[in-house]
Amino acid sequence: MAKPVCFSVKAYATPAATVPLAATTIERRQPTPTDVQIQILYCGVCHSDLHFARNEWGFTAYPAVPGHEIVGRVTAVGSGVKKFKVGDTVGVGCLVDSCRTCPSCAAGLEQYCDLGLAGGTYGGWDKHLNAPTLGGYSQSIVVTEDFVLRIPANLDLAAAAPLLCAGITTYSPLRHWKVGAGQKVGVVGLGGLGHMAVKFARAFGAHVVLFTTSPGKVADAKRVGAHDVVVSTDDKQMAAHAGSFDFIVDAVSAQHDLNVYLNQLKRDGNLTLVGAPEKPLPVASFPLLLRRRSLSGSLIGGIAETQEMLDFCGQHGITADIEMIRMDEINEAYERMLKSDVKYRFVIDMTSLQ
Ligand SMILES: [Zn+2]
Ligand SMILES: [Zn+2]
């Protein structure tokens, strides 16, 4: 395939794991007949951005441009695009492509494509340019229309950006394991993912309990929707809830003890991981054996489910709690994110890159 015509846009990139991000220019392809060109208005800052920029998962190609919580406006469409027109408000999440033929893609579960993360918004492979994909810390992006999402008109656009990763990452497992009324659901960690998990579990009708190591987060957890808060370092509080949960979402991306949360589950309960700590976490067999408990994981969501999640958020007025930053504040934001010093998601105002 001939390399398509490209155009240059401003972006923020890093050339190596130990170098801060800085302004640069990157190339985007001119829209092909099935592409949508999007001016990026806001981009959320995911913990994965930091892992990726610093090559903590070992597969980063440089220069790296992170960013996969993208909200923007359509500025051009290819001749064959049917679902979008210039001026539409749209989103792009963690995926910009997939093989479209494997069993997972055929089932609408593109996030589990046999090609792995080749369709990633960053860290994937752009088959048009024959180069690594570059993410949303940039002025614009060009994406095939099948991977572009509609943002409901009533949502605040900046606060909607984190729905594209933090939102779907927590919505999908809660839906898959059919969380709803009459169930007791735990959420571990009140960060970018955790605060969205609390909002969704509450909206689905469950009794929601937030586990945190910080007593200072109790009031805030209740404000975002938790019925109850357990300080996980307090053995008395943990004992009071032991064996009582139907489902727990663990949204912590740092090293921590899973076994104490397995012990919180009732018989046949399920603990699902959505965070990605760098090193393996030890699991003891007895907490699993004793009550036939399950430990599982879940990765973002497919395109159809992501649209379903966005529409649900439109109907229920759900967005993320955000702190807006300028593009040139990103390195400082990473340092604060490492200290959990953000309530609860940084979102970059991309006009600050113009
Ligand atoms: Zn993410
Ligand atoms: Zn596939």
Side-chain angles (χ1 to χ4, degrees), residues 99-102 105 113-114:
C99 85
R100 304 175 190 225
T101 55
C102 75
C105 285
C113 177
D114 285 355

Side-chain angles (χ1 to χ4, degrees), residues 88-140:
D88 285 353
T89 304
V90 296
V92 177
C94 305
L95 299 172
V96 289
D97 209 351
S98 73
C99 85
R100 304 175 190 225
T101 55
C102 75
S104 292
C105 285
L109 299 168
E110 297 87 358
Q111 74 274 35
Y112 303 121
C113 177
D114 285 355
L115 294 184
L117 298 172
T121 302
Y122 59 80
W125 188 253
D126 186 331
K127 61 193 178 198
H128 300 274
L129 300 181
N130 252 327
T133 51
L134 302 173
Y137 295 4
S138 63
Q139 289 177 306
S140 74

Side-chain angles (χ1 to χ4, degrees), residues 255-274:
Q255 296 306 116
H256 62 294
D257 184 6
L258 295 182
N259 302 293
V260 296
Y261 298 108
L262 288 169
N263 281 323
Q264 296 291 306
L265 294 168
K266 57 165 76 154
R267 177 173 49 78
D268 292 322
N270 186 313
L271 173 66
T272 291
L273 310 183
V274 292

Side-chain angles (χ1 to χ4, degrees), residues 44-49 57 67-69 93-94 122 162 164-166 169 193 300 345:
V45 180
C46 177
H47 212 105
S48 300
D49 297 359
W57 292 326
H68 59 200
E69 293 182 340
C94 305
Y122 59 80
L164 277 308
C165 176
T169 296
L193 294 172
I300 49 176
R345 202 68 151 179

Side-chain angles (χ1 to χ4, degrees), residues 69-236:
E69 293 182 340
I70 298 166
V71 166
R73 203 150 272 140
V74 175
T75 51
V77 293
S79 55
V81 168
K82 294 186 177 69
K83 290 183 269 183
F84 301 97
K85 60 180 193 310
V86 171
D88 285 353
T89 304
V90 296
V92 177
C94 305
L95 299 172
V96 289
D97 209 351
S98 73
C99 85
R100 304 175 190 225
T101 55
C102 75
S104 292
C105 285
L109 299 168
E110 297 87 358
Q111 74 274 35
Y112 303 121
C113 177
D114 285 355
L115 294 184
L117 298 172
T121 302
Y122 59 80
W125 188 253
D126 186 331
K127 61 193 178 198
H128 300 274
L129 300 181
N130 252 327
T133 51
L134 302 173
Y137 295 4
S138 63
Q139 289 177 306
S140 74
I141 191 166
V142 176
V143 179
T144 181
E145 71 167 327
D146 294 340
F147 286 76
V148 177
L149 299 141
R150 265 178 208 293
I151 306 295
N154 60 320
L155 296 181
D156 177 83
L157 293 185
L163 299 176
L164 277 308
C165 176
I168 187 61
T169 296
T170 48
Y171 180 94
S172 184
L174 292 169
R175 280 298 197 217
H176 181 72
W177 278 285
K178 299 185 169 58
V179 162
Q183 293 186 337
K184 185 172 173 184
V185 171
V187 174
V188 185
L190 189 68
L193 294 172
H195 92 292
M196 291 309 307
V198 169
K199 290 184 185 199
F200 285 131
R202 177 79 188 234
F204 297 163
H207 182 84
V208 186
V209 180
L210 187 276
F211 293 99
T212 178
T213 52
S214 326
K217 284 189 173 173
V218 172
D220 232 27
K222 289 189 173 166
R223 184 183 56 77
V224 301
H227 293 95
D228 206 352
V229 182
V230 172
V231 177
S232 55
T233 48
D234 182 330
D235 292 344
K236 245 193 199 147

